[in-house]
Each structure stands twice: as structure tokens, then as C-alpha cells.
Amino acid sequence: MYIAIEGPIGAGKTTLARLLAERLGAEPLLEVVEENPFLPLFYQDRKRYAFKTQVFFLLSRYRQLSRLRERPLFGGVVADYLFDKDAIFASLNLEGPEWDLYLDLYRELSLKLPPPDLTVYLRAPVPVLLERIRKRGRPFEEGMDPAYLEALSEAYERHFARYAHPLLVLEADQLDYSQPGPDQDRVVALVKTQLAQDGRTA
Ligand SMILES: Nc1ncnc2c1ncn2[C@@H]1O[C@H](COP(=O)(O)OP(=O)(O)O)[C@@H](O)[C@H]1O
Ligand SMILES: Nc1nc2c(ncn2[C@H]2C[C@H](O)[C@@H](COP(=O)(O)O)O2)c(=O)[nH]1
């Protein structure tokens, strides 16, 4: 069983991936964005650092997800990202020959990765995302541009409107699974039900 959680910045992906991994007896597969040395520079000058930032993410995501093919998944995996995320961000930040070169690389690498058994797409309004980003407190995200978040949310909507694999869409502002309580049980139950409907067991 391989579950991926996606959604815009601050939607609650890592929080949900940890919770599901714990409740389903699976391994969390988490991205460490702080490992990307270009990311803080990207937020200072998006045009200048977009390509370097993206290629670093592309390679590290590819390497991490490739390992899923190389070893048996005994208890399953819950990842806090989908490989497609890379192209969603790239489509907003790259253009011209850099975008063409990037897309060539992305297409080649994506062919080699398995799709998840279930993807959970977390939706939330921009003000909620901004509040959660503020609460998380990463220094380089302090001046997050609401227009960038809006464009990113729209790109996610377009992507999942034509997504061809099993998908569960959750309104992430309606469920507080960040602390113990009934919403945690509710979100776990929703995922289990979806897995069962798709013929998978958790
Ligand atoms: N469903 C939720 N309700 C309220 N707060 C949440 C929820 N999910 C996450 N949070 C909080 O929002 C912040 C961002 O969550 P995080 O999981 O890091 O988001 P993402 O991985 O999507 O960027 C964290 O401070 C987290 O505790
Ligand atoms: N330019 C890009 N930035 C990215 C990409 N993936 C993530 N990020 C940034 C967005 C956030 O500031 C931070 C963490 O992302 P979360 O979605 O985990 O909150 O990293 C990317 O591909 N390109």
C-alpha cells in the first residue's frame, strides 16, 4: 500500500502523512525541504533561483521515490508528496528554454515511478493556508505572497481535475487532525473507506 498526500503549501500534508502512517502501521516518507539549499534564495528572487530550486527538488524526489520500487513495502508507505508536485511548481515558476529542458527531464523520470494506490488531495482557502504557514514559522516563508498561493491552488485544482488514479479529495479547513480528537478518527476512517472502495486494505 502506497498513499500520497498532496495539496498547496500549508494544507496539512506532513501532519496527515504522519497521522496516517501511525494509524495504518505504515512508514512515513517525508520530504525534508530544508535540504534544498536554493529554497531560501528562491523566496528572495524567484526568477533567478527557480530553475536551480526545481532541479534540486526533482532529483531528490526522484531518488526518494525510486526506493519504493527497490524494496518490498511490508507495512506500506504514506508520503507527504506526489512526484507530480514538482511539475505543478515548475509550471508556475519556469518559462522558455528552462521550462522545455525541465519538462524533458520530468517526463523521462516520471515514467519510472509507480503511481500511489491512493492520493489524498487537501484543499483549503488561501487565508487558511497563510495562517498555517505563519503557525509553522519557517523563516524563509515569512513573506509568502498570497497571489503565489492563489496561483498554486489553481494549478493544483487543474491538475486534480484530470488526475487518472484513485483520489480522495478532502476540505482540509473543515478537519483539524493536527491535534488528538474526533477529526483524527474521522480522517483515518475516510481514508480506510476509500481504500476499501478501491479494493485495497489498510
Ligand atoms: N487540519 C489541520 N487543522 C489545523 N491545523 C493544521 C492542520 N493540518 C496541519 N495544521 C498545522 O498547519 C501547519 C502546516 O502543516 P503541515 O502539515 O506542515 O502542512 P504542509 O505539509 O501541507 O505544508 C502546522 O503548524 C500544522 O500543525
Ligand atoms: N519552487 C518550489 N518550491 C517548492 C517546491 N516544493 C515545495 N516548495 C516549497 C514550498 C514551501 O515553501 C516549502 C515546503 O512545501 P510544502 O508543500 O511541503 O509546504 O517548499 C517546488 O517543487 N518548487
Side-chain angles (χ1 to χ4, degrees), residues 2 4 6 57-63 65 81-88 102 105-114 116 159:
Y2 163 29
E6 251 315 337
F57 272 130
L58 181 72
L59 271 178
S60 65
R61 286 170 176 152
Y62 176 73
R63 287 189 180 126
L65 294 176
Y81 69 98
L82 188 64
F83 192 63
D84 313 27
K85 169 182 197 156
D86 212 89
I88 293 173
Y102 168 85
L105 274 170
Y106 173 82
R107 286 190 172 138
E108 196 69 32
L109 297 180
S110 64
L111 291 174
K112 301 186 171 82
L113 296 174
H159 184 76

Coordinates of all heavy atoms in Angstrom, one line a residue, residues 2 4 6 57-63 65 81-88 102 105-114 116 159:
Y2 N 0.6 2.1 -0.9 CA 1.4 3.4 -1.1 C 0.4 4.5 -1.2 O -0.4 4.6 -2.1 CB 2.3 3.2 -2.3 CG 2.9 4.5 -2.9 CD1 3.1 5.6 -2.1 CD2 3.2 4.5 -4.2 CE1 3.7 6.7 -2.7 CE2 3.8 5.6 -4.8 CZ 4.0 6.7 -4.1 OH 4.6 7.8 -4.6
A4 N -0.2 8.7 -1.1 CA 0.5 10.0 -1.2 C -0.5 11.1 -0.8 O -1.7 11.1 -1.1 CB 1.0 10.3 -2.6
E6 N -1.2 15.2 -1.1 CA -0.9 16.4 -1.8 C -1.8 17.6 -1.5 O -2.8 17.4 -0.9 CB -0.9 16.1 -3.3 CG 0.5 16.1 -4.0 CD 1.5 17.2 -3.5 OE1 1.1 18.3 -3.1 OE2 2.7 17.0 -3.7
F57 N 14.9 19.8 -6.3 CA 13.7 19.1 -5.8 C 13.4 17.9 -6.7 O 13.1 16.8 -6.2 CB 12.5 20.0 -5.8 CG 12.2 20.8 -4.6 CD1 12.0 22.1 -4.6 CD2 12.2 20.2 -3.3 CE1 11.8 22.9 -3.5 CE2 12.0 20.9 -2.2 CZ 11.8 22.3 -2.3
L58 N 13.5 18.1 -8.0 CA 13.2 17.0 -9.0 C 14.1 15.7 -8.7 O 13.6 14.6 -8.6 CB 13.4 17.5 -10.4 CG 13.1 16.5 -11.5 CD1 11.6 16.3 -11.7 CD2 13.7 17.0 -12.9
L59 N 15.4 16.0 -8.6 CA 16.3 14.9 -8.3 C 16.1 14.2 -7.0 O 16.1 13.0 -6.8 CB 17.8 15.3 -8.4 CG 18.3 15.3 -9.8 CD1 19.8 15.8 -9.8 CD2 18.4 13.9 -10.4
S60 N 15.9 15.0 -5.9 CA 15.8 14.4 -4.6 C 14.5 13.7 -4.5 O 14.4 12.6 -3.9 CB 16.0 15.5 -3.5 OG 14.9 16.4 -3.5
R61 N 13.4 14.2 -5.1 CA 12.1 13.5 -5.1 C 12.3 12.2 -5.9 O 11.8 11.1 -5.5 CB 11.0 14.3 -5.7 CG 10.6 15.4 -4.8 CD 9.7 16.5 -5.4 NE 9.4 17.4 -4.3 CZ 9.0 18.7 -4.5 NH1 9.0 19.2 -5.8 NH2 8.7 19.5 -3.5
Y62 N 12.9 12.2 -7.0 CA 13.1 11.0 -7.8 C 13.8 10.0 -7.1 O 13.4 8.8 -7.0 CB 13.8 11.4 -9.2 CG 14.0 10.1 -10.0 CD1 13.0 9.5 -10.6 CD2 15.3 9.6 -10.1 CE1 13.2 8.3 -11.3 CE2 15.5 8.4 -10.8 CZ 14.5 7.8 -11.4 OH 14.7 6.7 -12.1
R63 N 14.9 10.4 -6.4 CA 15.8 9.4 -5.7 C 15.0 8.8 -4.5 O 15.0 7.6 -4.3 CB 17.0 10.1 -5.1 CG 18.0 10.4 -6.2 CD 19.3 10.8 -5.7 NE 20.2 11.1 -6.8 CZ 20.9 12.3 -7.0 NH1 20.7 13.2 -6.1 NH2 21.7 12.4 -8.0
L65 N 11.6 8.5 -4.2 CA 10.5 7.7 -4.6 C 11.0 6.4 -5.4 O 10.3 5.4 -5.4 CB 9.5 8.5 -5.5 CG 8.8 9.6 -4.7 CD1 7.9 10.4 -5.7 CD2 7.9 9.0 -3.6
Y81 N 4.1 13.8 -0.2 CA 4.1 14.5 -1.5 C 3.9 13.5 -2.6 O 4.1 12.3 -2.4 CB 5.4 15.3 -1.8 CG 6.6 14.4 -1.9 CD1 7.1 14.1 -3.2 CD2 7.3 13.9 -0.8 CE1 8.2 13.3 -3.4 CE2 8.4 13.1 -1.0 CZ 8.9 12.8 -2.3 OH 10.0 12.0 -2.4
L82 N 3.5 14.0 -3.8 CA 3.3 13.2 -5.0 C 4.4 13.8 -6.0 O 4.7 15.0 -6.0 CB 1.9 13.6 -5.5 CG 1.3 12.8 -6.7 CD1 1.1 11.4 -6.3 CD2 -0.1 13.4 -7.0
F83 N 5.0 12.9 -6.8 CA 6.0 13.4 -7.8 C 5.5 14.5 -8.6 O 6.2 15.4 -8.9 CB 6.5 12.2 -8.6 CG 7.7 12.5 -9.4 CD1 8.9 12.8 -8.7 CD2 7.7 12.5 -10.8 CE1 10.1 13.1 -9.5 CE2 8.9 12.8 -11.5 CZ 10.0 13.1 -10.9
D84 N 4.2 14.4 -9.0 CA 3.6 15.4 -9.8 C 3.7 16.9 -9.3 O 3.6 17.8 -10.0 CB 2.0 15.2 -10.0 CG 1.7 13.7 -10.3 OD1 2.5 12.8 -9.9 OD2 0.6 13.5 -10.9
K85 N 3.9 16.9 -8.0 CA 4.1 18.2 -7.3 C 5.2 19.1 -8.0 O 5.1 20.3 -8.1 CB 4.4 18.0 -5.8 CG 4.9 19.2 -5.1 CD 5.2 18.8 -3.7 CE 5.3 20.0 -2.8 NZ 5.1 19.7 -1.4
D86 N 6.2 18.3 -8.4 CA 7.4 19.0 -8.9 C 7.0 19.8 -10.2 O 7.3 21.0 -10.4 CB 8.4 18.0 -9.3 CG 9.8 18.6 -9.1 OD1 10.4 18.5 -8.0 OD2 10.3 19.2 -10.1
A87 N 6.2 19.1 -11.1 CA 5.8 19.8 -12.3 C 4.8 20.9 -12.1 O 4.7 21.9 -12.8 CB 5.2 18.8 -13.3
I88 N 4.0 20.8 -11.0 CA 3.0 21.8 -10.7 C 3.7 23.1 -10.3 O 3.5 24.2 -10.8 CB 2.0 21.3 -9.5 CG1 1.2 20.2 -10.0 CG2 1.2 22.5 -9.0 CD1 0.3 19.5 -9.0
Y102 N 13.4 21.4 -18.4 CA 12.8 20.8 -17.2 C 11.8 19.7 -17.6 O 11.8 18.6 -17.1 CB 12.2 21.9 -16.3 CG 11.3 21.2 -15.3 CD1 11.9 20.8 -14.1 CD2 10.0 21.0 -15.5 CE1 11.2 20.1 -13.1 CE2 9.2 20.3 -14.5 CZ 9.9 19.9 -13.3 OH 9.1 19.2 -12.4
L105 N 13.2 16.5 -18.7 CA 13.7 15.7 -17.6 C 12.6 15.1 -16.8 O 12.6 13.9 -16.4 CB 14.5 16.6 -16.6 CG 15.9 16.9 -16.9 CD1 16.4 18.0 -16.0 CD2 16.8 15.6 -16.7
Y106 N 11.6 15.9 -16.5 CA 10.5 15.4 -15.7 C 9.8 14.2 -16.3 O 9.5 13.2 -15.6 CB 9.5 16.6 -15.4 CG 8.2 16.1 -14.7 CD1 8.2 16.0 -13.3 CD2 7.1 15.8 -15.4 CE1 7.1 15.5 -12.7 CE2 5.9 15.3 -14.8 CZ 6.0 15.2 -13.4 OH 4.8 14.8 -12.7
R107 N 9.5 14.3 -17.6 CA 8.8 13.3 -18.3 C 9.5 12.0 -18.3 O 9.0 10.9 -18.0 CB 8.4 13.7 -19.7 CG 7.3 14.7 -19.7 CD 6.8 15.0 -21.1 NE 5.7 15.8 -21.1 CZ 5.4 16.8 -22.0 NH1 6.3 17.1 -22.9 NH2 4.3 17.5 -21.9
E108 N 10.8 12.1 -18.5 CA 11.7 10.9 -18.5 C 11.7 10.2 -17.1 O 11.5 9.0 -17.0 CB 13.1 11.4 -18.8 CG 14.1 10.3 -19.3 CD 13.8 9.7 -20.6 OE1 13.2 10.4 -21.5 OE2 14.0 8.5 -20.8
L109 N 11.8 11.0 -16.1 CA 11.9 10.4 -14.7 C 10.5 9.9 -14.3 O 10.5 8.9 -13.6 CB 12.4 11.5 -13.7 CG 13.8 12.0 -14.0 CD1 14.2 13.0 -13.0 CD2 14.8 10.8 -14.0
S110 N 9.5 10.6 -14.6 CA 8.1 10.2 -14.1 C 7.7 8.8 -14.6 O 7.0 8.1 -13.9 CB 7.1 11.3 -14.3 OG 6.9 11.4 -15.7
L111 N 8.2 8.5 -15.8 CA 7.8 7.2 -16.4 C 8.3 6.0 -15.5 O 7.7 4.9 -15.5 CB 8.5 7.0 -17.7 CG 8.0 7.9 -18.9 CD1 8.8 7.7 -20.1 CD2 6.5 7.5 -19.2
K112 N 9.3 6.3 -14.7 CA 10.0 5.2 -13.9 C 9.4 5.0 -12.5 O 9.8 4.1 -11.8 CB 11.5 5.5 -13.8 CG 12.2 5.6 -15.2 CD 13.7 5.7 -15.0 CE 14.4 5.6 -16.3 NZ 14.5 6.9 -17.0
L113 N 8.4 5.9 -12.2 CA 7.9 5.8 -10.8 C 6.5 5.2 -10.7 O 5.7 5.5 -11.6 CB 7.9 7.2 -10.2 CG 9.3 7.9 -10.1 CD1 9.1 9.3 -9.6 CD2 10.2 7.1 -9.1
P114 N 6.3 4.4 -9.7 CA 4.9 3.8 -9.6 C 3.9 4.9 -9.1 O 4.2 5.7 -8.3 CB 5.1 2.8 -8.5 CG 6.3 3.2 -7.7 CD 7.1 4.0 -8.6
P116 N 0.7 6.1 -6.8 CA 0.2 5.6 -5.5 C -1.1 4.8 -5.6 O -1.8 4.9 -6.6 CB -0.1 6.9 -4.7 CG 0.5 8.0 -5.5 CD 0.6 7.6 -6.9
H159 N -4.7 20.3 -12.0 CA -4.1 19.0 -12.0 C -5.0 17.9 -11.6 O -5.1 16.9 -12.2 CB -2.8 19.0 -11.1 CG -2.0 17.8 -11.2 ND1 -1.2 17.5 -12.3 CD2 -2.0 16.7 -10.4 CE1 -0.7 16.3 -12.1 NE2 -1.1 15.8 -10.9

